[in-house]
Amino acid sequence: MVVCVCNAIREHDVREAARSGATSACQAYRALGRSPKCGQCVPFAREIINSERAAA
């Protein structure tokens, strides 16, 4: 599933960044070499990161 259309970031990319230590959407995007543009994806990315952290 696409999380960020502006940056072509997929859900598995955000999950991997969270597993690698990203604790926020901005950290995950930086880990992927990108940054949020319009911001509509940030709440969904945050949700994914929180679910990965809860599962760890």
Side-chain angles (χ1 to χ4, degrees):
M1 171 182 284
V2 174
V3 173
C4 177
V5 174
C6 299
N7 286 303
I9 296 174
R10 302 183 70 77
E11 183 177 351
H12 69 88
D13 299 324
V14 177
R15 288 191 184 281
E16 181 150 332
R19 288 184 207 121
S20 296
T23 59
S24 70
C26 288
Q27 286 179 355
Y29 286 29
R30 275 194 296 265
L32 297 168
R34 300 177 184 118
S35 63
K37 297 198 187 296
C38 73
Q40 289 185 332
C41 56
V42 172
F44 184 41
R46 194 177 301 137
E47 214 175 282
I48 294 167
I49 291 166
N50 289 340
S51 73
E52 281 299 316
R53 294 183 72 206

